[in-house]
Amino acid sequence: MSVSDHVRVETRGSVYTVILDRPERRNAIDPKMAQDLAQAFRDFENDESAAVAVLYGIGGHFSAGADLKAIADGNLHPIEPDPSKDGPLGCTRMLLSKPVIAAVEGYAVAGGLELACWCDLRVVAEDATFGVFCRRVGVPLVDGGTQRLPEIVGLGRALDLILTGREVPATEAHAMGLATRVVPNGSTREEAEALALTLASMPQLCMRSDRRATYEGVGMTEKAGLAREAELGRQVLSSGEPIEAAKRYARRRRAAREHPTDEEA
């Protein structure tokens, strides 16, 4: 289904794939496209049948970030001082309750890098390129790049990327922790959706709680972070989900013992 001309959504079971569809501009995002991207992820958050999202750009590139031609024409992305408002690229200030995986082919640069950093995990093609390319044209990072990139790769590496604006290939991105995994060119959407299906098969309340505790713990003291972890963990344990999950696991183990595969036998 289409959210707009340049933002589409396709679903596969509980996996919700948001597609940037502006290949002639390397999926650069203008203000209208940013609004549509935010709406796509609001719909994901509110869709009880959707467990994990994938963000993917067609045409061989993830995203070149903000549309510089639109900026040059005076069509600027609004920058709200209130962090509860949408980010300039739409979804970048949202803290969703469910995970999002970036499927990165080609360029994920400038705001495209910020979009990738907003995602929980990044499945990256061998020929992908990251970089704060907006450094070269005087456009600042305003979609969370200065906050999320240091959390992902560390302060020193983040400052290297932010100050120089240099290209970062997939191999280096993987070594520094920016790329979660590197896969063959052209396979990122398939691999990201397979990973999303794996996450969707997990006990969801527990996974989402641990994810929330991880994000909320950033910037807390260890004592405060442990207290928040315990608070959220107690909610999961009292929900009954662990008991049901343990029963399902035991049934699967019992079935595997009673009906082993030829290889196991």
Side-chain angles (χ1 to χ4, degrees):
M1 62 181 174
S2 294
V3 177
S4 68
D5 291 342
H6 300 308
V7 177
R8 296 189 289 110
V9 171
E10 295 180 5
T11 59
R12 176 187 171 195
S14 55
V15 175
Y16 182 102
T17 300
V18 179
I19 301 167
L20 304 175
D21 188 359
R22 201 183 181 200
E24 72 280 5
R25 297 288 298 160
R26 292 180 175 171
N27 295 317
I29 298 170
D30 62 17
K32 174 61 169 63
M33 192 174 171
Q35 293 174 3
D36 296 333
L37 189 57
Q39 186 59 52
F41 279 105
R42 285 194 188 92
D43 293 343
F44 163 66
E45 179 73 358
N46 294 325
D47 186 346
E48 294 184 0
S49 68
V52 183
V54 170
L55 179 58
Y56 173 71
I58 70 168
H61 293 287
F62 181 70
S63 176
D67 185 348
L68 295 181
K69 184 177 185 301
I71 291 174
D73 292 341
N75 189 12
L76 300 176
H77 293 248
I79 304 176
E80 296 285 351
D82 182 353
S84 68
K85 303 294 185 181
D86 286 346
L89 294 186
C91 61
T92 51
R93 292 180 180 174
M94 294 179 178
L95 181 56
L96 304 179
S97 66
K98 300 179 281 191
V100 182
I101 302 170
V104 179
E105 301 273 351
Y107 282 135
V109 297
L113 170 61
E114 293 183 284
L115 275 176
C117 288
W118 173 73
C119 297
D120 298 272
L121 304 172
R122 286 154 291 281
V123 176
V124 176
E126 292 170 336
D127 69 351
T129 299
F130 295 93
V132 186
F133 284 14
C134 49
R135 175 63 54 246
R136 308 170 185 183
V137 292
V139 176
L141 294 170
V142 288
D143 281 279
T146 64
Q147 305 305 299
R148 296 188 182 104
L149 188 59
E151 292 171 0
I152 295 168
V153 304
L155 180 61
R157 290 189 178 96
L159 285 171
D160 175 21
L161 272 61
I162 290 168
L163 297 179
T164 67
R166 66 180 180 85
E167 293 188 7
V168 179
T171 51
E172 184 182 359
H174 187 254
M176 68 172 62
L178 179 55
T180 306
R181 58 188 64 176
V182 178
V183 300
N185 298 334
S187 70
T188 59
R189 179 178 176 181
E190 178 184 358
E191 295 284 351
E193 289 180 346
L195 176 57
L197 284 169
T198 298
L199 298 188
S201 72
M202 305 290 183
Q204 290 297 292
L205 184 60
C206 179
M207 185 185 71
R208 293 176 191 177
S209 176
D210 285 350
R211 174 182 177 273
R212 181 176 177 182
T214 301
Y215 276 120
E216 291 186 4
V218 174
M220 286 185 176
T221 65
E222 183 178 34
K223 182 178 180 180
L226 289 170
R228 184 58 173 150
E229 178 189 79
E231 178 185 5
L232 292 169
R234 282 198 301 269
Q235 294 173 16
V236 174
L237 292 170
S238 65
S239 72
E241 182 186 76
I243 296 173
E244 292 304 312
K247 289 179 179 178
R248 288 195 300 270
Y249 179 76
R251 287 195 296 268
R252 288 196 301 269
R253 293 287 294 173
R254 185 164 56 250
R257 287 195 300 270
E258 293 172 355
H259 305 285
T261 64
D262 291 340
E263 185 175 303
E264 290 170 335

